[in-house]
Amino acid sequence: MTLGGAPIGSRAETGQTSRSETRQKPAKTRSEQMLERLLDYLRQPSVSLTGEGFPQATARTMRAVAAAGLEPLALETGGRPAVFGQRRGPQSAPTVLIYGHYDVHPAGDRARWNLPPFQPTIRAGRIWGRGSADNKGQHFAHLEAVRLLLERDDSLPCTVKVLLDGEEEVGSPNLDALVHAERDLLAADLVIWSDGPVHESGAWCVRHGSRGLLALRVTAEGPKRTLHAGSFGNLAPNPARILIDAIADMWASDGSIAIAGFHDDVRRLSTTERVALTRANFNDQALLEEIGAPDFEVGFGNASTFERLAALPSLSITAFRAGEARSASIPTVAEAWLDIRLVADQSPESVTEAVRGHFAKRGAKVGLEVLEAIPPSRVPFDNPFTPVVSGALEAATGALPLLVPGYGGTVPDYVWAKRLGVPSLGVPFANVDESNHAPDENLEVARFVAGVRISASILEALGGYPPQTSAA
Ligand SMILES: [Zn+2]
């Protein structure tokens, strides 16, 4: 697909061929200019958890939205503001809302980065820096597509709205209320989000929903002061043992999750979804080698690797803490953090109740605190926009994308169906080894440039929707 006369990335796109100019420094290609603008955007820290870079980050994002040719607006949320932008297209065409987030995960220990997190660089065909993939590089590709189309035609093929969350990395606590309050402003026919990696095989894909997240902290109390293990062993109840017992019991001996009621609301996959899952399955052996494990977790029967990720709930212990190493004492408290990924139609509330019930039934004196609760979503394959978006991806990349019914990670995708009543489709641009939330986060340059092409292709395809039936 060509835009503005020559494919993005080709030398011809600049049209600079005159002799006098070739002696000077060659003019920058469109890709080079886009990358320069992205690096500049990445230079602004925007860590929602710590506040690093705020409030400048919001202003910087407003400028990026305006520079693309959209009318920007900061939306107050009670927390960090969201940034909105829009530009009207023809009335006959649908309205698309592009969702992304401009906040980033903390950089963590800088010593673990090979390249500094907020001094983005391009090296070995990748853009390195915090936010390059999660999520600035991905939504910036959409902004560049808007800019490209406007530079070419001075108009957009369809109405484009952009909503950039400033709190996604802290669980988007205000997004649901914001979308509810601003439902007229945000009204659209579909939502497109680009976050997380492409399919594990590297293939482009269209995601139909994501898993939800329920983050819990569970605690057991012991003696009111730390006690000597020699003087009080056999006497003082040990909170670590109480908590270990309660948690271990969450799994049956075959490895399956044994919490009564946990699976009650899990939606059965349709035949089309099941076929799509099989098609999207990937090489188990390669994954095991990559993560350095001899085998996968047990307890999932015949479910394929991809089905476990995209269509089944998971329950992980992500941290456990009690006492001090070599202290020879009985601790006063034990704590564990549980990460539960939910699938349609489980709700954080009912699963929390199931976990609570599990402890209560065993008489386990365990406290439970909900740290984060994001419902899951699953968009039906037979919504009107899946063919439009997958056709646009094919036109832009030359390959039919994989259609997948879910995503192992969590994005606040449920709000679109709940608040706007429209389908939302995930079109991720990042490479699988993007290292999001880790040191050396990166986005392949080729994926970013393709992302711009894909986004422009989607907007153009939406411009032709609904397809005109035979001319009068
Ligand atoms: Zn993230």
Side-chain angles (χ1 to χ4, degrees), residues 7-16 24-41 43 121-122 127 140 144 147-148 445-446 448-450 452:
I8 314 172
S10 78
R11 273 278 151 186
E13 68 182 291
T14 64
Q16 304 292 351
Q24 295 159 5
K25 221 172 154 203
K28 288 190 177 117
T29 63
R30 172 154 212 120
S31 307
E32 286 165 348
Q33 294 169 13
M34 293 191 312
L35 286 167
E36 221 163 73
R37 290 192 285 263
L38 173 58
L39 292 189
D40 193 50
Y41 187 44
R43 232 162 257 137
T121 12
I122 295 177
I127 306 147
F140 202 75
E144 283 291 337
R147 178 195 274 262
L148 188 70
V445 170
F448 170 68
V449 173
V452 179

Side-chain angles (χ1 to χ4, degrees), residues 101 134 168-169 437:
H101 63 91
D134 183 15
E168 198 269 353
E169 296 294 3
H437 295 201

Side-chain angles (χ1 to χ4, degrees), residues 176-262:
D176 186 31
L178 175 73
V179 176
H180 180 58
E182 299 288 356
R183 56 198 178 281
D184 294 336
L185 182 71
L186 299 171
D189 297 288
L190 85 153
V191 173
I192 298 279
W193 55 274
S194 299
D195 204 355
V198 296
H199 182 256
E200 283 70 4
S201 64
W204 300 102
C205 65
V206 183
R207 298 194 192 281
H208 292 68
S210 75
R211 291 203 289 192
L213 167 64
L214 176 61
L216 302 176
R217 175 174 166 267
V218 289
T219 47
E221 306 281 338
K224 66 179 181 185
R225 62 186 170 87
T226 307
L227 299 174
H228 190 280
S231 311
F232 290 91
N234 289 354
L235 301 180
N238 189 312
R241 197 184 53 70
I242 295 169
L243 193 56
I244 288 168
D245 277 354
I247 292 177
D249 231 12
M250 296 172 120
W251 286 270
S253 54
D254 67 354
S256 59
I257 298 168
I259 301 168
F262 185 87

Side-chain angles (χ1 to χ4, degrees), residues 18 23 140 277 366 386 459:
S18 88
R23 271 197 220 114
F140 202 75
L277 269 180
V366 172
T386 290
L459 300 183

Side-chain angles (χ1 to χ4, degrees), residues 440-456:
D440 294 329
E441 179 178 345
N442 69 89
L443 177 64
E444 287 173 7
V445 170
R447 295 261 179 208
F448 170 68
V449 173
V452 179
R453 225 165 39 222
I454 290 168
S455 175

Side-chain angles (χ1 to χ4, degrees), residues 119-169:
Q119 289 162 41
T121 12
I122 295 177
R123 198 175 286 181
R126 294 178 188 227
I127 306 147
W128 303 86
R130 181 53 94 223
S132 54
D134 183 15
N135 170 260
K136 288 176 173 168
Q138 299 210 41
H139 67 251
F140 202 75
H142 287 288
L143 294 178
E144 283 291 337
V146 167
R147 178 195 274 262
L148 188 70
L149 294 173
L150 285 173
E151 280 175 11
R152 192 188 62 187
D153 296 335
D154 202 28
S155 67
L156 292 176
C158 59
T159 297
V160 175
K161 298 182 179 180
V162 173
L163 182 68
L164 303 176
D165 196 338
E167 304 182 306
E168 198 269 353
E169 296 294 3

Side-chain angles (χ1 to χ4, degrees), residues 58-419:
T58 309
R60 181 64 190 83
T61 303
M62 298 271 286
R63 286 210 306 282
V65 167
L70 301 169
E71 204 180 309
L73 187 64
L75 301 176
E76 295 304 329
T77 62
R80 314 234 177 256
V83 173
F84 174 78
Q86 72 171 323
R87 175 124 177 178
R88 302 231 158 260
Q91 281 226 320
S92 56
T95 295
V96 60
L97 175 66
I98 296 164
Y99 169 77
H101 63 91
Y102 71 92
D103 65 323
V104 298
H105 191 79
D109 182 0
R110 312 267 161 141
R112 292 177 60 215
W113 289 71
N114 285 306
L115 294 161
F118 295 113
Q119 289 162 41
T121 12
I122 295 177
R123 198 175 286 181
R126 294 178 188 227
I127 306 147
W128 303 86
R130 181 53 94 223
S132 54
D134 183 15
N135 170 260
K136 288 176 173 168
Q138 299 210 41
H139 67 251
F140 202 75
H142 287 288
L143 294 178
E144 283 291 337
V146 167
R147 178 195 274 262
L148 188 70
L149 294 173
L150 285 173
E151 280 175 11
R152 192 188 62 187
D153 296 335
D154 202 28
S155 67
L156 292 176
C158 59
T159 297
V160 175
K161 298 182 179 180
V162 173
L163 182 68
L164 303 176
D165 196 338
E167 304 182 306
E168 198 269 353
E169 296 294 3
V170 289
S172 300
N174 299 300
L175 184 68
D176 186 31
L178 175 73
V179 176
H180 180 58
E182 299 288 356
R183 56 198 178 281
D184 294 336
L185 182 71
L186 299 171
D189 297 288
L190 85 153
V191 173
I192 298 279
W193 55 274
S194 299
D195 204 355
V198 296
H199 182 256
E200 283 70 4
S201 64
W204 300 102
C205 65
V206 183
R207 298 194 192 281
H208 292 68
S210 75
R211 291 203 289 192
L213 167 64
L214 176 61
L216 302 176
R217 175 174 166 267
V218 289
T219 47
E221 306 281 338
K224 66 179 181 185
R225 62 186 170 87
T226 307
L227 299 174
H228 190 280
S231 311
F232 290 91
N234 289 354
L235 301 180
N238 189 312
R241 197 184 53 70
I242 295 169
L243 193 56
I244 288 168
D245 277 354
I247 292 177
D249 231 12
M250 296 172 120
W251 286 270
S253 54
D254 67 354
S256 59
I257 298 168
I259 301 168
F262 185 87
H263 292 95
D264 281 4
D265 300 325
V266 172
R267 194 195 302 175
R268 284 177 63 98
L269 290 162
S270 72
T271 312
T272 348
E273 286 168 338
R274 195 156 278 290
V275 170
L277 269 180
T278 310
R279 205 171 285 156
N281 201 25
F282 47 83
N283 187 326
D284 288 5
Q285 208 47 49
L287 181 64
L288 283 173
E289 273 163 34
E290 206 256 316
I291 61 175
D295 223 326
F296 290 122
E297 286 269 45
V298 292
F300 297 92
N302 293 326
S304 72
T305 330
F306 197 63
E307 179 174 356
R308 292 178 182 205
L309 270 189
L312 292 179
S314 66
L315 167 59
S316 308
I317 303 167
T318 53
F320 190 98
R321 192 162 69 189
E324 303 263 341
R326 309 201 60 181
S327 69
S329 53
I330 295 164
T332 56
V333 66
E335 315 165 89
W337 284 261
L338 305 177
D339 178 297
I340 299 173
R341 300 293 159 146
L342 309 165
V343 297
D345 297 308
Q346 290 178 299
S347 78
E349 293 76 21
S350 62
V351 172
T352 303
E353 280 324 299
V355 173
R356 218 186 283 279
H358 176 83
F359 294 143
K361 212 187 299 169
R362 278 150 189 80
K365 291 209 171 54
V366 172
L368 187 156
E369 184 191 351
V370 177
L371 302 175
E372 234 180 293
I374 304 172
S377 69
R378 190 176 298 153
V379 177
F381 275 16
D382 58 2
N383 78 84
F385 293 106
T386 290
V388 184
V389 169
S390 63
L393 260 146
E394 187 186 6
T397 65
L400 257 180
L402 284 169
L403 302 185
V404 291
Y407 169 48
T410 297
V411 289
D413 200 33
Y414 71 98
V415 295
W416 316 119
K418 179 181 167 193
R419 296 299 184 194

